[in-house]
Amino acid sequence: MATLLLIDSSVFPEGGSASRAVTAAFRKTWEEQHPDGTVIHRDLAADPLPHLDAVAASAGFSDPATHTPEQQAAFALRTQLAEELEQADAIVIGAPMYNFTIPSTLKAWLDQAIIMGRTIGENPSAKGKPVVVVASRGGSYAPGTPREPFEYVQNYLEAVLNGGFGLEVEFIVPELTMAPSNPAMAELVPLFETSRAKAHEQAEAKAKELVARFAA
């Protein structure tokens, strides 16, 4: 039975979040195709992780036998996050663009889950696992658009998820999500609707593809 690690970071609930709507579509299809599987869901908005501090950081670079009680507690969380990543067969991450980059809660998860010599390093412990990132954004930052230079979500996550964790990364990008609520973007609503529909189709297709891969 395959395990899906689902990470949501949007501050908005599913009804008001483009990224949550797509990750939910992925999960629904995954569970329909694989009802006996396991889903580990981390909602970083509802249950945020602490940002990495000196205690947690120093624990990652010292012998566990020498840890203080504070380091033991901090490193226990980091170990749990690493284990969730390692136990998952596939990962889905909702990463909406906030102020040109990822939510701080998602950055906190990454900082806590990155453990040198375990999850990153010469032989990352989750290397090769597929990760689907739902990178929603209010406008368009696609190649050739005026705001392309401000795209710091896909660029950053490709570097850390693939270059750091060694994961097999694929992006689903619902864009122009502000069009329905911003009068200045009214003419872009049809493009938004097309992008939204495509993102849901991609999520459902990818869920089926991954379930089939693990069932083979």
Side-chain angles (χ1 to χ4, degrees):
M1 295 185 290
T3 297
L4 173 68
L5 174 60
L6 170 59
I7 299 170
D8 279 311
S9 62
S10 172
V11 298
F12 299 106
E14 184 179 329
S17 166
S19 66
R20 285 183 186 271
V22 178
T23 61
F26 185 105
R27 178 177 184 170
K28 181 175 182 292
T29 301
W30 173 280
E31 291 180 326
E32 289 173 349
Q33 299 290 315
H34 191 45
D36 296 326
T38 300
V39 177
I40 301 170
H41 185 202
R42 278 202 170 268
D43 187 334
L44 300 179
D47 189 17
L49 298 169
H51 287 281
L52 192 69
D53 59 14
V55 174
S58 62
F61 292 98
S62 57
D63 184 346
T66 68
H67 285 177
T68 65
E70 292 78 13
Q71 285 178 314
Q72 290 175 0
F75 200 61
L77 172 61
R78 301 188 69 189
T79 299
Q80 179 184 355
L81 298 176
E83 290 174 347
E84 290 176 356
L85 190 66
E86 293 158 355
Q87 292 166 4
D89 295 286
I91 304 105
V92 175
I93 300 175
M97 178 185 281
Y98 291 163
N99 302 316
F100 304 121
T101 188
I102 63 174
S104 64
T105 52
L106 180 55
K107 182 62 164 59
W109 177 82
L110 288 166
D111 287 341
Q112 295 281 11
I114 291 173
I115 302 175
M116 182 61 69
R118 180 170 179 172
T119 57
I120 67 168
E122 288 189 16
N123 188 28
S125 54
K127 184 177 181 179
K129 293 179 185 288
V131 55
V132 178
V133 178
V134 180
S136 59
R137 60 276 314 273
S140 179
Y141 299 77
T145 63
R147 290 205 167 192
E148 179 185 359
F150 297 95
E151 206 302 299
Y152 301 114
V153 173
Q154 289 177 260
N155 290 338
Y156 169 68
L157 290 178
E158 177 69 35
V160 70
L161 295 175
N162 178 261
F165 289 109
L167 301 172
E168 175 191 306
V169 185
E170 182 171 331
F171 290 94
I172 296 175
V173 186
E175 61 178 13
L176 301 170
T177 62
M178 292 295 294
S181 59
N182 185 347
M185 298 175 67
E187 64 181 15
L188 300 176
V189 169
L191 292 178
F192 152 71
E193 293 173 342
T194 298
S195 177
R196 178 179 58 183
K198 180 181 178 181
H200 281 257
E201 291 171 2
Q202 290 176 313
E204 292 164 6
K206 192 63 181 179
K208 291 177 182 178
E209 175 192 323
L210 290 176
V211 169
R213 180 194 303 186
F214 301 130

